[in-house]
Amino acid sequence: MKLTLKIWRQKNAAAKGSMKTYPIDGIDGDMSFLEMLDVLNTQLINKGEEPVVFDHDCREGICGTCSLQINGEPHGPDRLITTCQLHMRKFNDGDTIIIEPFRAKAFPVIKDLMVDRSSFDRIQQAGGYISVNTSGNTIDANAIPIEKDDADASFNAAACIGCGACVAACKNASAMLFTAAKVSQFALLPQGQVEASRRVLNMVEQMDKEGFGNCTNTGACEVECPKGISLENIARMNREYLSASLKG
């Protein structure tokens, strides 16, 4: 398969970036998208050129680090997959593929296709946890009865891998779906009730501090999310936030 790649190149956050064109040949349809980039980088290194920097880790759709904007779509043209799970069979011989980093004020470019998503970490640190007494008279979490619907919904929210596709897909660069998933996974469980009010207020406050935009219910975030996180989580977070605000 012959392809033309138009890739965003940028030395650092302060430098001005631009699109560079790279022709590539010999790409097999069974290759993953990242394997195709590996082939390109091998060719660039052999020619004495600087390889394209992109983020990746597990290459199994678990870690969320391999986030790329491919032909204007987070993670590319397939659904419910991350970039590392995208295969080249989704493209045709002779295609031109435009590859960019996720675009958001809160996701500054580190280099080329790699962005800094530590803003997500700070939102999580603001309240995405529970405090547990691990000494003395403790109770096994499995001994606490939980409605199956609530447990299922909590597990679904916890499936969020923090890749940032929701932000990249949103016209406002909103992180509401990510934050809502992290709030919901605890709000649905009894273990999360003790700190529920403080959690949602702190996490939403941190989200705003990071410079993410507001949600206008477009729904692009749910469509592009590789784990299918539902917009229902945003509605739940809004209810949690209103309740916590009224409590003062």
Side-chain angles (χ1 to χ4, degrees), residues 40-70:
L40 172 67
N41 277 343
T42 299
Q43 293 177 1
L44 292 176
I45 292 169
N46 288 340
K47 291 190 290 185
E49 299 180 27
E50 190 171 0
V52 177
V53 174
F54 61 93
D55 218 351
H56 64 94
D57 190 1
C58 75
R59 298 201 179 200
E60 294 179 347
I62 298 171
C63 67
T65 60
C66 63
S67 305
L68 298 176
Q69 194 89 348
I70 302 167

Side-chain angles (χ1 to χ4, degrees), residues 31-41 54-57 59 66-68 83-86 88:
M31 285 183 180
S32 73
F33 198 85
L34 296 189
E35 287 171 335
M36 180 273 294
L37 290 178
D38 290 338
V39 171
L40 172 67
N41 277 343
F54 61 93
D55 218 351
H56 64 94
D57 190 1
R59 298 201 179 200
C66 63
S67 305
L68 298 176
T83 301
C84 63
Q85 295 173 302
L86 177 66
M88 297 310 297

Side-chain angles (χ1 to χ4, degrees), residues 8 24 72 108 153 162 170 176 228 230 238:
W8 182 260
I24 192 169
C170 179
M176 284 284 281
S230 172
N238 286 338

